mmCIF file of all heavy atoms in Angstrom:
data_model
loop_
_atom_site.group_PDB
_atom_site.id
_atom_site.type_symbol
_atom_site.label_atom_id
_atom_site.label_comp_id
_atom_site.label_asym_id
_atom_site.label_seq_id
_atom_site.Cartn_x
_atom_site.Cartn_y
_atom_site.Cartn_z
ATOM 1 N N LEU A 1447 -7.250 -10.654 -10.323
ATOM 2 C CA LEU A 1447 -8.248 -11.588 -10.850
ATOM 3 C C LEU A 1447 -9.447 -10.849 -11.613
ATOM 4 O O LEU A 1447 -9.895 -11.339 -12.614
ATOM 5 C CB LEU A 1447 -8.840 -12.479 -9.773
ATOM 6 C CG LEU A 1447 -8.000 -13.691 -9.338
ATOM 7 C CD1 LEU A 1447 -8.681 -14.446 -8.215
ATOM 8 C CD2 LEU A 1447 -7.769 -14.618 -10.600
ATOM 9 N N GLY A 1474 5.603 -28.712 -1.557
ATOM 10 C CA GLY A 1474 6.888 -28.094 -1.302
ATOM 11 C C GLY A 1474 7.232 -28.070 0.211
ATOM 12 O O GLY A 1474 8.251 -28.572 0.627
ATOM 13 N N LEU A 1476 5.899 -29.728 2.543
ATOM 14 C CA LEU A 1476 5.907 -31.072 3.093
ATOM 15 C C LEU A 1476 7.247 -31.715 2.859
ATOM 16 O O LEU A 1476 7.773 -32.330 3.791
ATOM 17 C CB LEU A 1476 4.772 -31.933 2.373
ATOM 18 C CG LEU A 1476 4.672 -33.348 2.860
ATOM 19 C CD1 LEU A 1476 4.359 -33.459 4.348
ATOM 20 C CD2 LEU A 1476 3.619 -34.096 2.002
ATOM 21 N N GLY A 1502 10.419 -18.002 -9.027
ATOM 22 C CA GLY A 1502 9.358 -16.942 -8.946
ATOM 23 C C GLY A 1502 9.570 -15.907 -9.979
ATOM 24 O O GLY A 1502 8.582 -15.489 -10.638
ATOM 25 N N GLY A 1582 -11.331 -3.483 -10.779
ATOM 26 C CA GLY A 1582 -12.654 -3.632 -10.178
ATOM 27 C C GLY A 1582 -13.494 -2.410 -10.101
ATOM 28 O O GLY A 1582 -14.556 -2.413 -9.463
ATOM 29 N N PRO A 1636 28.832 -9.929 6.271
ATOM 30 C CA PRO A 1636 29.531 -10.568 7.380
ATOM 31 C C PRO A 1636 28.532 -10.873 8.496
ATOM 32 O O PRO A 1636 27.952 -9.980 9.093
ATOM 33 C CB PRO A 1636 30.568 -9.536 7.806
ATOM 34 C CG PRO A 1636 30.708 -8.628 6.608
ATOM 35 C CD PRO A 1636 29.370 -8.628 5.936
ATOM 36 N N TYR A 1835 -21.587 -25.743 -2.697
ATOM 37 C CA TYR A 1835 -22.966 -25.632 -2.103
ATOM 38 C C TYR A 1835 -23.578 -24.265 -2.227
ATOM 39 O O TYR A 1835 -24.704 -24.048 -1.815
ATOM 40 C CB TYR A 1835 -22.896 -26.074 -0.623
ATOM 41 C CG TYR A 1835 -22.475 -27.476 -0.392
ATOM 42 C CD1 TYR A 1835 -21.206 -27.768 0.102
ATOM 43 C CD2 TYR A 1835 -23.282 -28.560 -0.841
ATOM 44 C CE1 TYR A 1835 -20.771 -29.094 0.280
ATOM 45 C CE2 TYR A 1835 -22.897 -29.876 -0.649
ATOM 46 C CZ TYR A 1835 -21.624 -30.135 -0.126
ATOM 47 O OH TYR A 1835 -21.212 -31.467 0.048
#
Side-chain angles (χ1 to χ4, degrees):
L1447 281 179
L1476 178 63
Y1835 299 108

